[in-house]
Amino acid sequence: MTHDVFNQVPPLTGHDVSADAALTAGVEREGAGWAIGELRALGTLAGSERAIEWGRLANEHPPVLRTHDAGGHRIDEVEFHPSWHELMAAAVGEGLHAAPWASAAPGAHVARAAKFYLWSQVEAGHGCPVSMTYASVAALRHAPALAAAWEPLLTSRSYDFGLRPPLGKRGVLAGMAMTEKQGGSDVRAGTTRAEPLADGGYALTGHKWFNSAPMCDVFLVLAQAPGGLTCFLLPRVLPDGTRNAMRLMRLKDKLGNRSNASAEVEYDGALAWPVGEEGRGVRTILEMVNMTRLDCVIGSAAGMRHGAVRAVHHAGHRSAFGRRLADQPLMRNVLADLVLESEAATTLMTRLAGATDRAVAGNPAEAALRRTALAVAKYWVCKRAPAHAAEAMECLGGNGYVEDSQMPRLLRESPLNGIWEGSGNVAALDVLRVTLKEPGAIEAYFAEVELASGADGHLDAAIVRLRALLGSRPDETSARRVAEDMALVLQGSLLVRHAPPAVADAFCASRLAGEGGRAFGTLPSRLDLEGIVGRAVI
């Protein structure tokens, strides 16, 4: 022994991840209070040493592609570490993948969003097939006959991994393939061909540059049919047990999200069935995208909460220069700012999930708000996640740069939700298009934010400025500014109405009145920083 180990931070395990005041309040407010017990059970599992180890191992041992067997036969199998299957079994068993579509309970989408938020803090990569399965149901309902056959399997809580005829399995998972080499976000530039067959199916031939979660049982795919770009349902295994002509060419070597497989694929006459009308593929698959965009927001909010909690935990146990880090004024400012950003994201996320429930139930005002607010949140919350992760990592010093801390994995994951389902420019342009061109969209947005009118002068002034900005008919070069301002005003309104005064005052002063700086840790010292930090103490 050359030294004693002291002034090191105890592991953050054995806690309830759902001990999150902003999340709990949002879930109850948005009509899913009945799920609090389920959230506590899942939160306890998420904070357990066992689940944390699943997340570590799934990333230490990423998936491996096996294109052929020993005899040279094409098999296109993706192998995963057992920990991946543990994560997936828990997620599916809790209904994170599609439970709301099979539930009549009020707030079902809110409950599912909260669970996805909790479980994503264990490990983010396996959220990809979970999210796409959830979103696929919305698109599949454009083809009632297909939905009747597939929806019971997509919503099943049985995780049944393996390549077998899907309609004979206990449950299935769905993926998506839109992007091609030459197109990227411009999916209309796709060249994959779809040739009609006599039995009503189509033969697809072409390639996809990104096939998310290629080990899934079925995929929604865009291809050019005689009538134009069309959405198709393409299974990996055909009803007779033979492999569909979908070839996995290679797995992507990604910055993060390493536990999850993403592949380049080729179709050589692969059998598929149309979802919706020919020529309306983009409109159909956007039903799926608008659900996965919600999960991008949830995933980013989850990452911020995870980073903030770990930074606060570290600072509460580590001492430097004779004082705990958490007691030092500048570190307390940084921690409070991280918690503030996290709570703003979580509160917005739960509001969007509530709007989803009400939109699905046929509420036109909530559907209009969701259409606008989701594009706004997809841009801003996902844009804030990388800077937040980097600052949270820095709070741990050199220890935060070491893999054991989980912070490097958090940082690698943090940019992905900003890229998925439309990168920053795509999301910002969508905000501009919706607010200026879609009837009722901007009215629904202002009806929401003005529910807090008169409660905070900084917020009132920001609403006036935003109305003037939108009234000037901003062009595309201003799209990011519009999206950012709309996000901050919406978050400010939600916090003024629903958060403790310490949180709402700090947000409006720093984000809307310009009293804070550009980096985290620049909140005005007059604020209740200690009270804000306390909301992330586990």
Side-chain angles (χ1 to χ4, degrees):
M1 292 290 292
T2 62
H3 67 283
D4 294 326
V5 176
F6 64 97
N7 197 27
Q8 284 287 345
V9 177
L12 181 56
T13 60
H15 61 289
D16 178 4
V17 178
S18 75
D20 180 336
L23 176 71
T24 301
V27 167
E28 292 178 339
R29 187 169 58 247
E30 297 296 337
W34 53 266
I36 295 297
E38 296 177 20
L39 297 182
R40 287 176 179 155
L42 182 60
T44 300
L45 177 61
S48 69
E49 187 174 353
R50 176 175 53 141
I52 292 169
E53 184 68 357
W54 290 342
R56 184 187 73 81
L57 290 172
N59 282 270
E60 287 289 325
H61 305 279
V64 176
L65 173 61
R66 306 294 184 195
T67 56
H68 296 77
D69 66 12
H73 303 100
R74 189 94 197 198
I75 57 172
D76 295 291
E77 294 272 15
V78 183
E79 293 180 357
F80 290 87
H81 189 272
S83 292
W84 165 273
H85 297 299
E86 296 281 8
L87 292 165
M88 287 297 301
V92 172
E94 287 288 337
L96 275 63
H97 65 307
W101 304 112
S103 173
H109 289 275
V110 174
R112 182 261 168 194
K115 288 184 176 183
F116 189 74
Y117 170 92
L118 295 176
W119 198 238
S120 293
Q121 294 179 54
V122 177
E123 200 285 317
H126 77 291
C128 176
V130 170
S131 176
M132 289 187 298
T133 303
Y134 167 63
S136 68
V137 176
L140 196 58
R141 288 181 172 181
H142 285 266
L146 290 176
W150 287 91
E151 194 168 319
L153 293 168
L154 290 165
T155 58
S156 166
R157 296 200 182 198
S158 295
Y159 176 59
D160 192 359
F161 183 81
L163 287 178
R164 299 186 301 282
L167 294 179
K169 296 179 72 174
R170 291 178 290 114
V172 300
L173 297 173
M176 178 169 57
M178 294 193 294
T179 306
E180 298 187 5
K181 294 184 181 75
Q182 73 287 345
S185 297
D186 183 8
V187 295
R188 295 185 185 277
T191 61
T192 298
R193 304 188 314 276
E195 300 177 2
L197 302 174
D199 63 358
Y202 287 70
L204 270 57
T205 302
H207 77 281
K208 294 294 176 182
W209 190 231
F210 277 95
N211 183 168
S212 297
M215 65 288 181
C216 288
D217 301 283
V218 66
F219 303 88
L220 290 184
V221 180
L222 289 179
Q224 300 286 356
L229 193 63
T230 304
C231 182
F232 293 92
L233 183 77
L234 188 152
R236 286 198 66 194
V237 179
L238 298 174
D240 63 3
T242 60
R243 305 287 175 88
N244 207 352
M246 170 184 168
R247 314 300 186 202
L248 308 188
M249 308 309 292
R250 65 170 176 169
L251 300 185
K252 298 288 193 180
D253 186 8
K254 298 171 292 186
L255 167 68
N257 205 245
R258 300 188 69 84
S259 69
N260 176 49
S262 301
E264 297 168 27
V265 303
E266 291 188 359
Y267 310 117
D268 186 11
L271 182 60
W273 290 272
V275 180
E277 302 174 21
E278 278 194 7
R280 297 177 64 85
V282 172
R283 182 179 294 272
T284 301
I285 210 163
L286 277 178
E287 294 283 352
M288 186 175 188
V289 170
N290 280 328
M291 289 296 175
T292 48
R293 280 185 172 181
L294 174 59
D295 280 3
C296 289
V297 176
I298 298 170
S300 291
M304 289 188 202
R305 174 66 179 180
H306 183 75
V309 166
R310 291 200 164 270
V312 169
H313 175 75
H314 179 90
H317 290 85
R318 180 82 164 176
S319 295
F321 310 110
R323 288 185 294 176
R324 287 191 318 154
L325 290 176
D327 294 332
Q328 300 190 25
L330 189 54
M331 176 58 82
R332 186 163 56 240
N333 197 318
V334 172
L335 296 173
D337 221 351
L338 291 173
V339 175
L340 187 62
E341 192 72 30
S342 168
E343 293 220 359
T346 300
T347 303
L348 177 53
M349 175 269 288
T350 54
R351 179 66 182 93
L352 287 171
T356 299
D357 268 306
R358 291 181 279 275
V360 169
N363 185 317
E366 289 288 287
L369 174 65
R370 184 186 186 278
R371 176 71 181 93
T372 308
L374 181 56
V376 165
K378 169 64 173 72
Y379 172 78
W380 184 243
V381 174
C382 297
K383 186 65 67 182
R384 293 292 280 170
H388 191 280
E391 193 69 59
M393 171 188 279
E394 189 175 325
C395 290
L396 276 66
N399 287 344
Y401 208 67
V402 175
E403 291 292 339
D404 289 344
S405 72
Q406 299 185 31
M407 303 306 280
R409 180 171 14 129
L410 176 65
L411 184 63
R412 288 192 297 269
E413 292 287 349
S414 62
L416 184 55
N417 285 313
I419 297 171
W420 261 345
E421 312 302 29
S423 57
N425 282 353
V426 172
L429 290 170
D430 193 25
V431 170
L432 197 64
R433 181 168 48 252
V434 170
T435 55
L436 297 183
K437 296 183 179 180
E438 293 197 11
I442 196 61
E443 290 80 6
Y445 170 86
F446 277 111
E448 175 72 16
V449 300
E450 288 175 347
L451 291 174
S453 291
D456 185 281
H458 298 320
L459 175 61
D460 291 343
I463 293 173
V464 171
R465 291 195 302 271
L466 180 59
R467 280 194 176 277
L469 174 62
L470 292 172
S472 69
R473 306 291 295 182
D475 60 16
E476 290 187 2
T477 59
S478 304
R480 286 188 174 220
R481 169 68 185 280
V482 170
E484 177 177 331
D485 286 358
M486 290 182 69
L488 293 174
V489 167
L490 179 55
Q491 287 181 319
S493 175
L494 290 169
L495 293 176
V496 166
R497 283 179 278 154
H498 306 305
V503 173
D505 293 348
F507 187 91
C508 291
S510 60
R511 272 63 168 176
L512 300 179
E515 292 185 33
R518 292 180 174 83
F520 287 105
T522 57
L523 296 174
S525 59
R526 61 178 175 77
L527 299 170
D528 180 10
L529 303 183
E530 186 173 355
I532 298 171
V533 172
R535 292 174 65 79
V537 174
I538 295 293

